[in-house]
Amino acid sequence: MGLGAYVAVSAALFALGIICILVRRNVLYVLMGIEMILNAANINFVAFNRFGDNGLDGRMFAIFTIILAAAEAAVALAIVLNVFHLFNSVKPSEADLLRE
Amino acid sequence: MAFLLTQELPVEHGGFGGFEYALLLAVPLIPLLGYALQMSLRKKLPWGDKLLTLGMGVSMAITVFMAFKAIAASHHEGFQFFHESARAGHGWSFKWLYHALDWDAAKNISVGILYDPLGAVMLAVVGIVAFCVHLFSQGYMHGDKRYNIFFANISLFSFAMLGLVLSDNILFFFIFWELMGFMSYSLIGHFSHDPDNPYFHRWASWASKKAFMTTRVGDVLLLIGILMFFGWTDPELGRSCASFRFTDLWAFSQEAVQAHQAAGGVGFPTWMTVAGLFTFGGTVGKSAQFPLHIWLPDAMAGPTPVSAMIHAATMVAAGVFLLGRMFPMFSPEVLIVVTAVGATTALFAATIGMTAWDLKAVLAWSTISQLGFMVAAVGLGGVTAGMFHMTTHAFFKACLFLSAGAVIHACHHEQDMRKMGGLRKRLPITFACMLICTLAIAGVPFFSGFYSKDMILLSGWAAILEPDGFTGWSVYATAALSLAAILTAFYMFRMVFLTFFGTYKGEIVEGHHGHGHDDHGDHGHDDHHHEIVHAEDGGVAHGHGGPMPKEVGWQMATALVILAFLGFFAGDFPSLGWFNIYHPHPWFESLATLESLYPNVSGWMVERFEVSEHVEHMAHARAFWGSVLVIAPAGILAAWFLYMRRKDLPAKITGALGIVYETVANRYYIDEFVKAAVIAPTFALAKLLKLIDEKIVDGFVLLVGAVNRLLGGFMAAFDRVVVDGIVNAVGLVSQTFGAVSRLLQTGRVQQYAAFAFGGGLLAAAWLILS
């Protein structure tokens, strides 16, 4: 299997994440979409590390991204909870105060 | 020239060094500092009155010290002590206009001190009188609402006169002269601010304006005279004096006259006569000579200490002092005018003085009369006599005015002599002081006024007896002055008899302390300003009953005693030869001679005015026996007979005189004449100008306004249509754009994310494809 296969998987995952963010009605799915995008990036990191001669840089970045994703998930869930308190809903289409 | 102390003359000659210069400079600066302190701190200055009096006392001490030093020096070393500081290197000078005119820059304007015999004596006189007035005012003005400002003002007044006396140039002389005019204005009007004050006069503000504007006429004439002497190109010399300094002016006059006579002319150049007449105009205004005398009798609306100041040492003395300073520049024609004006003033003011019932009015008219004596003396060539009388008069007139103030103070603001009487037992100190000074002004031997008045009459007789000097004017002047001297003795003793002898005719109300002023509102002075000296109305109806008059406080008494002492001794100091009264040698005569007064032109002055010994001898005999045998006795006896023995006679005499008495008592209707001839036309002109202003100027202004309105309407329409239209269009565009772009703002996070992603995609596509 060459680099192209890895990148194809990563691109598909990324596309799915974007679609998930843009179209899902539940904010939790939106968060999942973000996770998918992050993981698509991780696949790219690892794949390019495997096929390149960059030492362990890519893998380090992947681990770093995983940690970042964990932190992001914590913050994002807190935001979600607050949004739920404020709007009594988890639909992003209803939390439209940014318009103001 | 030999007498003039120049830079070469060494200081160790007991002369005039930096120390003396600093002392003299301090004399006017101390009262100025006092004024500044008092005016800036007002009531916050503790002991302000005492502080200012103390300052004036220090000034007085310096002036007296310097005068004695100068007199002693003049006895030992000639007149070397006296000098001009500007020449000795202590003064300063600056250039003015030297670019525009090719004048000798060094001769332009310099400022310095001229300390000559006349200045020395005058400075001491001003210092002493000013100090006494300060002292007296502490008692007299006690409780006044503007007490502090009063003290500040009299300090500045003293400063102005001290500065005037010290000036070595006519320009600074004039500046101080003007300052004095202003200060007399503000001091005469002192009581016009406080209607609750018992001394409040409704016409005080009016009188102050009258004094200011009347003297202003003289001031303008003086300024013209000064500028003529400064800048007029002499036709023979082909240059102008171009200096304000007195010594330069004297020297220039001598040169001009000698050049004129060398070219075949007689007497003085015409321009000098004209300039001299203008200069004399200043004296006429300031020294209250006919016809500008009208301000002085009204000036007594001011506080009595101020009257003492104005009448004795400051205001009116400045005019006579000016004559002393400018004497060498006066041509014979000018001196005739000076003589005529002075003699006329002396006589006619004395006649009015006889009819006055107001205590202060008698003194005011007597001042005018005595000033006439001084002016006439200068005109007759007796400049020493005139200046001597100014000195002695300053002391006894200041004392008389302050005594009058004490009497008025004691009589509860009563000024009408008919409501006084018998006060000699109640006010013994005041009575003694007033009597001494009355004897002095009447010209009784051994009293100061005798010496000076005798010297003036001597000048008159000398002018008559001089072989080539006889003119009708000197006869007229001598006759008028002799008669005026008799009248002086008469009206002064009339005043003393009415005030201090007989019985007290004022209302005595025991336990009445307040000065309730409500009952004064109906005295109606608003339209009858002249009542102040009208014989009929009895002048100021300000008196009201009160407890029996009692003696004044210690400050007032001290001031009176000092001045009375000088009023007695200022003529001649007691010495071994004192009782040889026929041959008096007053100190002033040997101090202020033509040589010492005008050192740089002394030869010329002596040639013009020196009286031969023979003539002086004859003139002295006439003047002396006239004074001793006729003048004082006649006046005093007449007053005694009319006001002590036959008290019914005065009314009969005035009744018999009828219209003559009326005319005199109404001041010869000069005020009415001035009102009709000057004031009324001025008001008429003002009304005419007002009419022009209202009709023509206002019409033009209104026209301009209408045009402006029209233009304004056009501009407004333009503004509304064009400018507003542009602004609205811009607004509309913004609104529309905002409404459209607003549609994008849905507030939905996913939409925003779609935009962001789409934008990123587009950017990536563009990067890849390009």
Side-chain angles (χ1 to χ4, degrees):
Chain A
M1 275 202 316
L3 180 62
Y6 290 99
V7 172
V9 170
S10 166
L13 198 57
F14 182 80
L16 285 173
I18 287 290
I19 291 164
C20 184
I21 287 172
L22 295 186
V23 303
R24 295 307 300 223
R25 297 257 177 223
N26 194 316
V27 74
L28 294 173
Y29 288 103
V30 174
L31 289 180
M32 283 181 195
I34 293 170
E35 293 297 325
M36 285 163 82
I37 288 170
L38 287 171
N39 282 316
N42 275 349
I43 290 172
N44 268 2
F45 275 128
V46 175
F48 280 102
N49 185 252
R50 168 73 180 76
F51 290 96
D53 52 351
N54 294 320
L56 286 175
D57 285 1
R59 265 164 273 189
M60 284 310 298
F61 266 110
I63 292 164
F64 191 78
T65 308
I66 290 163
I67 295 163
L68 187 101
E72 179 259 330
V75 174
L77 281 172
I79 293 172
V80 168
L81 276 176
N82 273 318
V83 167
F84 182 74
H85 277 300
L86 203 58
F87 300 98
N88 210 13
S89 153
V90 284
K91 294 181 179 171
S93 58
E94 287 184 5
D96 58 356
L97 276 180
L98 273 180
R99 194 179 55 188
E100 299 300 314
Chain B
M1 276 298 195
F3 296 112
L4 194 71
L5 187 76
T6 55
Q7 253 169 324
E8 296 88 62
L9 281 171
V11 171
E12 62 264 24
H13 261 100
F16 198 93
F19 176 63
E20 280 82 0
Y21 178 71
L23 272 185
L24 286 181
L25 209 58
V27 168
L29 288 183
I30 292 171
L32 180 65
L33 186 71
Y35 168 80
L37 262 179
Q38 180 71 81
M39 271 320 233
S40 48
L41 294 179
R42 297 285 173 100
K43 283 176 183 162
K44 275 179 243 157
L45 185 66
W47 306 94
D49 52 341
K50 307 226 170 10
L51 202 65
L52 263 61
T53 309
L54 184 72
M56 202 57 234
V58 173
S59 268
M60 174 187 76
I62 297 173
T63 62
V64 173
F65 166 72
M66 289 297 287
F68 274 112
K69 195 169 173 181
I71 291 169
S74 78
H75 275 300
H76 294 302
E77 309 161 28
F79 295 106
Q80 285 184 359
F81 183 80
F82 299 109
H83 91 134
E84 260 179 294
S85 68
R87 275 200 207 291
H90 295 300
W92 51 279
S93 64
F94 59 93
K95 294 171 187 172
W96 184 49
L97 287 179
Y98 67 104
H99 269 309
L101 300 166
D102 191 20
W103 285 336
D104 179 2
K107 274 186 111 182
N108 255 305
I109 293 176
S110 66
V111 183
I113 288 175
L114 176 60
Y115 196 67
D116 68 342
L118 181 56
V121 172
M122 196 61 206
L123 199 67
V125 168
V126 176
I128 294 168
V129 172
F131 172 70
C132 289
V133 166
H134 274 75
L135 197 60
F136 187 86
S137 303
Q138 289 188 17
Y140 190 82
M141 300 300 286
H142 187 75
D144 189 77
K145 258 190 192 166
R146 299 169 73 240
Y147 185 74
N148 296 307
I149 294 173
F150 176 82
F151 267 90
N153 280 346
I154 53 173
S155 269
L156 194 64
F157 203 11
S158 317
F159 157 74
M161 186 64 191
L162 293 166
L164 179 139
V165 172
L166 284 172
S167 299
D168 79 332
N169 64 89
I170 190 74
L171 185 69
F172 269 68
F173 186 97
F174 186 71
I175 291 169
F176 287 119
W177 172 284
E178 289 288 337
L179 178 59
M180 210 149 43
F182 172 69
M183 289 320 296
S184 66
Y185 163 77
S186 54
L187 281 167
I188 291 168
H190 180 81
F191 284 141
S192 62
H193 295 268
D194 178 13
D196 299 328
N197 194 297
Y199 288 110
F200 172 68
H201 293 312
R202 282 194 190 175
W203 70 94
S205 67
W206 177 86
S208 61
K209 271 183 270 181
K210 184 176 181 181
F212 189 66
M213 291 203 265
T214 314
T215 53
R216 182 124 301 265
V217 176
D219 295 351
V220 172
L221 295 178
L222 173 61
L223 185 57
I224 296 171
I226 291 171
L227 292 178
M228 274 186 82
F229 276 124
F230 177 79
W232 195 277
T233 309
D234 186 72
E236 298 297 337
L237 293 174
R239 63 183 175 84
S240 61
C241 179
S243 168
F244 287 114
R245 207 185 285 161
F246 287 118
T247 41
D248 291 341
L249 288 167
W250 300 336
F252 181 75
S253 332
Q254 183 186 5
E255 277 178 52
V257 172
Q258 281 167 352
H260 179 70
Q261 287 169 351
V266 180
F268 274 51
T270 315
W271 73 269
M272 283 185 70
T273 303
V274 175
L277 285 175
F278 276 120
T279 309
F280 179 57
T283 300
V284 171
K286 211 65 151 186
S287 288
Q289 297 297 294
F290 179 82
L292 295 181
H293 65 277
I294 48 174
W295 66 272
L296 193 57
D298 291 305
M300 65 189 186
T304 306
V306 173
S307 304
M309 198 102 152
I310 289 177
H311 286 252
T314 50
M315 188 80 175
V316 296
V320 180
F321 190 72
L322 173 73
L323 287 185
R325 283 284 191 239
M326 302 293 268
F327 184 60
M329 282 115 82
F330 288 150
S331 70
E333 294 81 14
V334 176
L335 290 180
I336 286 176
V337 174
V338 172
T339 311
V341 169
T344 309
T345 309
L347 184 57
F348 106 106
T351 57
I352 299 173
M354 292 195 302
T355 65
W357 288 112
D358 186 316
L359 183 58
K360 283 174 83 176
V362 175
L363 294 174
W365 287 106
S366 117
T367 303
I368 298 178
S369 173
Q370 298 302 310
L371 289 167
F373 273 86
M374 302 168 205
V375 169
V378 173
L380 289 165
V383 65
T384 309
M387 298 304 130
F388 188 24
H389 197 53
M390 176 172 74
T391 309
T392 57
H393 175 261
F395 292 130
F396 59 67
K397 184 49 66 64
C399 178
L400 283 170
F401 254 108
L402 294 184
S403 305
V407 169
I408 294 165
H409 195 69
C411 288
H412 318 290
H413 323 302
E414 179 57 65
Q415 299 197 5
D416 191 337
M417 293 191 292
R418 287 169 296 193
K419 292 185 185 151
M420 298 174 184
L423 294 177
R424 71 178 184 284
K425 299 221 177 71
R426 295 278 166 188
L427 306 167
I429 301 173
T430 311
F431 170 66
C433 295
M434 202 160 193
L435 186 66
I436 289 170
C437 292
T438 307
L439 288 167
I441 196 174
V444 173
F446 297 113
F447 289 84
S448 64
F450 169 77
Y451 297 95
S452 50
K453 208 177 272 186
D454 183 51
M455 212 191 274
I456 290 176
L457 293 174
L458 188 149
S459 308
W461 282 106
I464 296 174
L465 293 169
E466 191 77 7
D468 55 346
F470 180 91
T471 60
W473 285 111
S474 50
V475 177
Y476 164 72
T478 312
L481 291 180
S482 303
L483 188 55
I486 297 175
L487 297 183
T488 304
F490 173 76
Y491 67 69
M492 288 309 293
F493 270 90
R494 168 180 175 264
M495 181 192 81
V496 168
F497 290 144
L498 281 173
T499 311
F500 289 103
F501 290 83
T503 51
Y504 184 60
K505 294 180 236 9
E507 200 182 333
I508 298 169
V509 183
E510 290 301 339
H512 174 97
H513 290 295
H515 297 298
H517 227 267
D518 304 334
D519 52 334
H520 288 214
D522 52 7
H523 287 313
H525 276 292
D526 17 7
D527 291 321
H528 302 285
H529 309 300
H530 305 152
E531 277 183 4
I532 197 162
V533 284
H534 276 189
E536 259 57 48
D537 307 315
V540 191
H542 251 73
H544 18 199
M548 210 49 193
K550 59 174 192 290
E551 190 56 279
V552 294
W554 70 269
Q555 295 115 321
M556 292 161 85
T558 312
L560 289 180
V561 169
I562 293 173
L563 287 171
F565 179 81
L566 287 165
F568 181 50
F569 285 116
D572 199 1
F573 298 122
S575 60
L576 281 179
W578 198 43
F579 291 101
N580 185 3
I581 190 73
Y582 184 64
H583 293 293
H585 289 290
W587 56 280
F588 197 84
E589 192 182 21
S590 48
L591 182 72
T593 59
L594 287 172
E595 288 94 342
S596 71
L597 284 181
Y598 312 107
N600 60 340
V601 291
S602 58
W604 182 54
M605 293 302 290
V606 167
E607 187 190 313
R608 280 174 68 194
F609 293 106
E610 188 78 312
V611 180
S612 73
E613 217 161 285
H614 174 63
V615 169
E616 187 169 351
H617 190 72
M618 290 199 298
H620 175 60
R622 284 162 174 75
F624 178 79
W625 293 116
S627 299
V628 172
L629 293 181
V630 182
I631 289 173
I636 296 171
L637 284 176
W640 176 77
F641 185 70
L642 288 176
Y643 289 95
M644 294 296 284
R645 277 303 281 271
R646 298 286 305 276
K647 291 181 182 172
D648 54 323
L649 269 183
K652 282 184 193 158
I653 292 172
T654 54
L657 284 173
I659 185 82
V660 178
Y661 178 76
E662 282 292 311
T663 310
V664 176
N666 284 304
R667 314 202 243 184
Y668 295 92
Y669 296 108
I670 291 171
D671 280 280
E672 283 74 8
F673 174 76
V674 170
K675 209 172 212 171
V678 181
I679 299 174
T682 310
F683 272 104
L685 183 68
K687 268 187 190 142
L688 180 71
L689 289 174
K690 187 184 170 212
L691 211 66
I692 291 175
D693 203 42
E694 276 175 357
K695 299 292 173 216
I696 297 175
V697 179
D698 281 10
F700 182 71
V701 170
L702 287 177
L703 186 72
V704 171
V707 170
N708 267 341
R709 268 174 72 94
L710 208 67
L711 275 173
F714 176 71
M715 296 294 280
F718 180 81
D719 206 40
R720 266 198 301 277
V721 175
V722 180
V723 180
D724 285 9
I726 291 172
V727 172
N728 285 343
V730 170
L732 197 67
V733 168
S734 301
Q735 257 181 340
T736 317
F737 184 74
V740 172
S741 55
R742 192 181 157 80
L743 295 176
L744 293 175
Q745 297 296 326
T746 55
R748 293 187 187 169
V749 183
Q750 286 172 315
Q751 201 173 20
Y752 294 166
F755 287 146
F757 180 66
L761 213 59
L762 280 177
W766 183 72
L767 278 173
I768 292 164
L769 292 179
S770 61

